[in-house]
Amino acid sequence: DAGVIQSPRHEVTEMGQEVTLRCKPIPGHDYLFWYRQTMMRGLELLIYFNNNVPIDDSGMPEDRFSAKMPNASFSTLKIQPSEPRDSAVYFCASSLRPGQHTGELFFGEGSRLTVL
Amino acid sequence: AQSVAQPEDQVNVAEGNPLTVKCTYSVSGNPYLFWYVQYPNRGLQFLLKYITGDNLVKGSYGFEAEFNKSQTSFHLKKPSALVSDSALYFCAVSLYYNTDKLIFGTGTRLQVFP
């Protein structure tokens, strides 16, 4: 079975450049989550979508971050302009019905971003 | 505000010994609690959950967790550790009124020595 697919797996860029991370959720899952993982802050929820609609973006750190889900099979997380403090592993996860009903999020393998 | 705490950054245990990874939570209302595991360079994988009912929950790979409401804890346990259990373990909580959103703890690194 195809899991959550993220690209790129690794990205090294220079400060000020635009970064776009991509995610393909598991077909049929109607929830999609973007998380960021750092040593200092652990795993943070940035934003999540239900049926392609953003539900909660309160975790998005600032206006430099934006996320879209143009259709049920694709989402992007964009950072523009990027800064060194954005260096982290960014995870995408999808779910049929998180929390109470299934409790199971399916995570991709992450995109490791390094901003120099 | 809801939160979940994992008081130990790392737990070391010898193979064959029982293991416990601790988790405590702070929420208003009934919590829904979860454990996830992360192997190196991989995404998180679901292990088990507590929603309601029996306080002892069994999950994948022989892991179990015990919900203790009075101590607001949800410790992960396994009777006999394997070297292959070495990984990063995350406890998570969601609220009954917003069950879509999981808040994760900071993670505990489990190291099982041969």
Side-chain angles (χ1 to χ4, degrees):
Chain A
D1 285 344
V4 175
I5 299 172
Q6 291 187 245
S7 64
R9 291 294 312 277
H10 301 274
E11 173 93 5
V12 180
T13 190
E14 292 188 348
M15 182 174 62
Q17 296 297 307
E18 176 181 300
V19 173
T20 299
L21 308 178
R22 299 173 178 80
C23 176
K24 179 179 171 59
I26 293 173
H29 283 190
D30 50 11
Y31 282 80
L32 185 140
F33 300 79
W34 282 101
Y35 281 88
R36 177 172 69 175
Q37 185 178 34
T38 61
M39 290 291 292
M40 292 297 294
R41 301 171 72 93
L43 201 62
E44 305 171 274
L45 176 62
L46 301 177
I47 185 171
Y48 76 95
F49 297 83
N50 179 23
N51 292 322
N52 314 335
V53 176
I55 303 300
D56 186 342
D57 65 355
S58 59
M60 295 285 263
E62 47 197 276
D63 292 346
R64 298 185 296 106
F65 286 70
S66 62
K68 294 182 180 179
M69 192 165 186
N71 56 63
S73 60
F74 184 65
S75 177
T76 60
L77 178 67
K78 185 177 290 187
I79 309 172
Q80 180 185 20
S82 58
E83 297 183 2
R85 60 193 168 119
D86 302 330
S87 298
V89 181
Y90 291 81
F91 287 103
C92 176
S94 71
S95 177
L96 270 174
R97 187 68 172 93
Q100 175 185 7
H101 297 279
T102 67
E104 184 168 3
L105 302 185
F106 293 81
F107 282 78
E109 297 200 332
S111 294
R112 181 177 295 277
L113 173 65
T114 302
V115 183
L116 302 175
Chain B
Q2 65 186 84
S3 65
V4 60
Q6 295 181 242
E8 302 156 315
D9 289 336
Q10 180 154 333
V11 170
N12 299 317
V13 64
E15 189 174 30
N17 284 359
L19 69 88
T20 298
V21 183
K22 295 179 181 178
C23 172
T24 58
Y25 64 89
S26 174
V27 300
S28 299
N30 295 323
Y32 301 136
L33 296 156
F34 309 87
W35 277 101
Y36 282 75
V37 60
Q38 184 181 27
Y39 297 101
N41 300 313
R42 305 295 299 274
L44 279 70
Q45 296 176 34
F46 172 80
L47 274 180
L48 52 79
K49 66 181 178 184
Y50 171 82
I51 303 298
T52 187
D54 194 347
N55 289 342
L56 185 64
V57 178
K58 294 188 183 298
S60 307
Y61 312 121
F63 283 94
E64 57 189 28
E66 186 168 13
F67 172 65
N68 187 318
K69 188 172 184 178
S70 63
Q71 297 185 3
T72 62
S73 67
F74 188 57
H75 300 334
L76 181 70
K77 300 181 180 184
K78 188 173 182 181
S80 178
L82 300 172
V83 173
S84 57
D85 293 330
S86 299
L88 192 56
Y89 289 82
F90 290 92
C91 183
V93 65
S94 72
L95 282 187
Y96 70 95
Y97 60 80
N98 184 3
T99 59
D100 298 341
K101 194 172 170 178
L102 290 186
I103 305 300
F104 285 87
T106 52
T108 298
R109 185 164 301 281
L110 173 66
Q111 188 71 48
V112 181
F113 294 95

